[in-house]
Amino acid sequence: VSAEIDLITDYFRDLGVARSDVVLGIGDDAAIVRESPGCDLIMTTDSLVEGSHFLPGADPRSLGHRALVINLSDCAAMGASPCWALLSLNLPAVDHSWLQQFCAGFGALLQRSGVALIGGNLTRGPLSITVQMAGSVPAGAAVTRSGGKPGDLLCLSGSTGDAAAGRELLARPGTATADSVRSALCQRFEFPTARVALGVALRGLASACIDVSDGLWVDLERLAAASRCGAEIEHDALPLSAALQAYAPSTAMQLALCGGEDYELLFTLPQSRLAALQAHADATSTPCTVIGRLCARPGVTLRRAGSVMQFSPTTFDHFAVRN
Amino acid sequence: VSAEIDLITDYFRDLGVARSDVVLGIGDDAAIVRESPGCDLIMTTDSLVEGSHFLPGADPRSLGHRALVINLSDCAAMGASPCWALLSLNLPAVDHSWLQQFCAGFGALLQRSGVALIGGNLTRGPLSITVQMAGSVPAGAAVTRSGGKPGDLLCLSGSTGDAAAGRELLARPGTATADSVRSALCQRFEFPTARVALGVALRGLASACIDVSDGLWVDLERLAAASRCGAEIEHDALPLSAALQAYAPSTAMQLALCGGEDYELLFTLPQSRLAALQAHADATSTPCTVIGRLCARPGVTLRRAGSVMQFSPTTFDHFAVRN
């Protein structure tokens, strides 16, 4: 009998939520699921690769959490409710302690998110983790990147830059920082929150949405380009966490604009829907800030007191940065 | 602007088939698809990892083909029509020649299979390829591993062992073999066929089905265990290709029973449906052979002229073999 099968059975079978729309889960050639009538299906995949997304020796519980968050966040950005996940794990060797911790992080977030794990496979190889996720949204109600209009308000959930600061602190453990600041920022990198409830609330409210995975600036460029318009960020409106300001008073703004892996939602909506957004944000306990607006002129600009500031973004891109 | 986005746009966007059930393909946070009413969704994922599934320097066209076949074959084993695929590619560096050939192999088979590529991501890392596939089957009509009954006939499409022989020949290029034999066997390893049309034909016909990915013996053990019965293989009924017999006259049977990656379908059906199977096999031009039957006693046995043969399988399992 196959060791791979035993591993999958032991570690993966009971990790997720039991959902009534799963006809057949892990253990056959494929899973069988049954979508609700009148719904569209949202499908996405994203990976964590050692050396690109995390350093050797990274906490496996954090990797399990993050491998799921990157996909939950894609679902959230579409306004979808996450339903089912599949996991492909490349492991250098069978390390039961590593697997237990990985599954603890992965499973806890599956449970909190109401997601069933319906398939998985394990292969010997350099450590990398790929998750595929399917979510559900009422037919036609998905929020895309392309629906923004000039004049729409530009909104951001939470704040950005913390995850990049946490990544720096993990890579350079000797950096002098107060323990509470270090712990808050590392938490944002290692255990980020996907804005799933907010994403669902944005159906019919947001004109466009993207999740901030590669950095606020570059992700805003993508949203604006997809919506065939430009965008202006108000420098003084950008939320900065207290921890980020304590860690890096001089570069906090740079980190907030260009640091990746925050998994906040960046979205647009007409001014007339701002009150409805505020009600939803309150109901889901999600801080949301208006940070600027879309404009007709292409490109992204940073403004302060009515003037355009010079700003040169350095983005977070696995191929561009390291090639 | 992100280099990753450019790469995805250049290489992946137009690879697959344009399907009317794809609302939004590559380019947003996630894809949007719309399933046919009254259908179940089949979801699977499988990977190819350098060092485990292929050697360094393997033909990228073959890798593109195989990365898709392993998932098409899972769909086929469930009786599903393949619909949508997502691709996660870890590449050590951006190699345009490699990407072009990979996409040629991947795209050609997407086209032949009628599958849309709805998502993809690229990360720098040791070479590995993960594909997720979703297929469609009328609600309740999926074929699983668990429906076999004692007395059901055991059938195999095509023949097994060729892919393992081809893998041996690629790993040891100096092996003395006739060119035509070498080429036939390497083709079976590098460009296997997923039995998609047969899989669809098996709906309502087969009581259980599995695809032969890890070896006929071990995959039969899985089918029999899932069906809570045992199985007998008739030694003299097992189909062996002429190329396999020419390559390895003394070990052909061992390769046929234990070699993996043939992606043939192994399935069971009551004797009463044999004529219907034959008609479907003829209609889809798929050779199918009755190679034994399920029995009440657990376990798999090999029989010849009524007697049980001693046989000790060595299986093809990435973790079990190499750990």
Side-chain angles (χ1 to χ4, degrees):
Chain A
V1 180
S2 155
E4 181 185 330
I5 292 291
D6 286 346
L7 276 171
I8 291 175
T9 306
D10 285 357
Y11 286 106
F12 296 161
R13 197 184 286 274
D14 298 319
L15 274 190
V17 165
R19 290 176 62 101
S20 63
D21 54 13
V22 176
V23 180
L24 185 67
I26 289 176
D28 213 294
D29 288 285
I32 310 173
V33 295
R34 194 163 289 175
E35 206 191 357
S36 307
C39 283
D40 283 345
L41 200 64
I42 302 298
M43 297 182 77
T44 187
T45 181
D46 225 333
S47 300
L48 292 180
V49 180
E50 185 172 273
S52 274
H53 302 99
F54 59 90
L55 295 171
D59 176 4
R61 213 164 50 88
S62 159
L63 296 180
H65 180 95
R66 287 175 60 206
L68 203 54
V69 162
I70 56 182
N71 287 281
L72 286 170
S73 182
D74 281 333
C75 278
M78 306 295 290
S81 302
C83 301
W84 316 301
L86 300 113
L87 170 66
S88 284
L89 194 52
N90 296 348
L91 278 184
V94 176
D95 176 337
H96 291 279
S97 159
W98 191 97
L99 274 164
Q100 276 162 11
Q101 290 181 70
F102 175 84
C103 287
F106 193 78
L109 189 52
L110 281 174
Q111 292 285 338
R112 282 211 300 283
S113 312
V115 172
L117 182 66
I118 60 169
N121 72 283
L122 273 169
T123 309
R124 171 184 289 271
L127 183 57
S128 88
I129 308 149
T130 300
V131 171
Q132 299 86 18
M133 187 167 286
S136 181
V137 68
V143 183
T144 68
R145 297 178 182 177
S146 58
K149 298 269 181 293
D152 281 358
L153 299 177
L154 182 63
C155 302
L156 178 70
S157 67
S159 69
T160 55
D162 291 23
R167 190 173 62 231
E168 284 183 4
L169 284 166
L170 285 165
R172 295 196 288 272
T175 311
T177 313
D179 282 352
S180 61
V181 169
R182 175 189 304 277
S183 131
L185 297 175
C186 291
Q187 177 78 13
R188 287 290 307 272
F189 176 71
E190 291 189 289
F191 297 95
T193 301
R195 298 293 192 181
V196 174
L198 176 64
V200 170
L202 292 180
R203 293 176 195 160
L205 201 58
S207 50
C209 186
I210 190 170
D211 74 319
V212 182
S213 53
D214 292 339
L216 177 57
W217 190 277
V218 67
D219 287 320
L220 178 54
E221 284 182 332
R222 289 173 183 149
L223 182 148
S227 293
R228 298 170 183 275
C229 53
E232 300 169 347
I233 300 174
E234 280 299 330
H235 177 281
D236 294 351
L238 205 64
L240 301 175
S241 76
L244 183 65
Q245 293 182 79
Y247 164 70
S250 63
T251 57
M253 182 59 62
Q254 178 80 27
L255 285 166
L257 287 169
C258 299
E261 308 187 273
D262 291 301
Y263 305 107
E264 297 295 350
L265 295 184
L266 177 66
F267 55 97
T268 62
L269 76 175
Q271 174 92 43
S272 60
R273 295 188 191 146
L274 190 57
L277 169 68
Q278 202 52 58
H280 279 292
D282 291 348
T284 60
S285 303
T286 314
C288 288
T289 310
V290 176
I291 62 163
R293 59 175 62 234
L294 296 184
C295 57
R297 183 153 169 264
V300 173
T301 53
L302 186 63
R303 286 175 176 265
R304 192 171 198 178
S307 305
V308 174
M309 295 177 72
Q310 290 302 316
F311 180 76
S312 170
T314 57
T315 66
F316 181 75
D317 178 78
H318 305 296
F319 275 101
V321 171
R322 291 155 210 254
N323 233 7
Chain B
V1 181
S2 156
E4 181 185 328
I5 291 292
D6 287 346
L7 276 170
I8 290 175
T9 306
D10 286 357
Y11 286 105
F12 297 160
R13 197 183 286 276
D14 298 319
L15 273 190
V17 166
R19 292 175 60 103
S20 62
D21 53 13
V22 177
V23 179
L24 185 67
I26 290 176
D28 213 296
D29 288 286
I32 309 174
V33 295
R34 195 162 289 174
E35 206 191 359
S36 307
C39 283
D40 283 344
L41 199 64
I42 302 299
M43 298 184 75
T44 186
T45 182
D46 224 334
S47 301
L48 293 180
V49 180
E50 185 171 273
S52 274
H53 302 99
F54 59 91
L55 296 171
D59 176 4
R61 213 164 49 87
S62 159
L63 296 181
H65 179 95
R66 287 174 61 205
L68 203 53
V69 161
I70 56 182
N71 287 282
L72 286 170
S73 183
D74 281 334
C75 277
M78 305 297 288
S81 302
C83 301
W84 314 302
L86 300 116
L87 171 65
S88 284
L89 194 52
N90 296 349
L91 278 184
V94 177
D95 176 338
H96 291 280
S97 159
W98 191 96
L99 274 164
Q100 276 161 12
Q101 291 181 68
F102 175 84
C103 287
F106 194 77
L109 188 53
L110 281 175
Q111 293 286 338
R112 282 211 300 284
S113 312
V115 172
L117 182 66
I118 59 169
N121 73 286
L122 273 168
T123 309
R124 172 183 288 272
L127 183 57
S128 88
I129 308 148
T130 299
V131 172
Q132 181 209 357
M133 187 167 287
S136 180
V137 68
V143 183
T144 67
R145 298 179 181 176
S146 58
K149 296 272 182 295
D152 281 358
L153 299 177
L154 182 64
C155 301
L156 178 70
S157 67
S159 69
T160 55
D162 291 22
R167 189 172 64 230
E168 284 184 4
L169 283 165
L170 285 165
R172 295 196 289 270
T175 310
T177 315
D179 282 351
S180 62
V181 169
R182 174 189 306 275
S183 132
L185 296 175
C186 290
Q187 177 77 14
R188 288 289 307 273
F189 175 71
E190 291 190 289
F191 296 95
T193 302
R195 300 293 192 180
V196 173
L198 176 64
V200 170
L202 292 181
R203 293 176 195 160
L205 201 59
S207 50
C209 186
I210 191 170
D211 75 318
V212 182
S213 54
D214 292 339
L216 177 56
W217 190 277
V218 67
D219 287 321
L220 178 53
E221 284 181 331
R222 289 173 183 151
L223 183 148
S227 293
R228 298 172 183 273
C229 53
E232 300 169 347
I233 300 174
E234 280 299 330
H235 177 281
D236 295 352
L238 205 64
L240 302 174
S241 76
L244 183 65
Q245 292 181 79
Y247 164 71
S250 63
T251 57
M253 182 59 63
Q254 179 80 27
L255 284 166
L257 288 169
C258 299
E261 307 186 274
D262 292 300
Y263 304 107
E264 297 294 350
L265 295 184
L266 177 65
F267 55 98
T268 61
L269 76 176
Q271 173 91 42
S272 60
R273 295 187 192 147
L274 190 56
L277 169 68
Q278 202 53 56
H280 281 291
D282 291 349
T284 60
S285 303
T286 314
C288 289
T289 309
V290 176
I291 63 164
R293 60 175 63 233
L294 296 183
C295 57
R297 185 154 167 262
V300 173
T301 53
L302 186 64
R303 285 174 178 265
R304 191 171 199 178
S307 304
V308 175
M309 294 176 73
Q310 290 302 316
F311 179 75
S312 171
T314 57
T315 66
F316 180 76
D317 178 80
H318 306 295
F319 275 102
V321 171
R322 290 156 209 253
N323 236 6

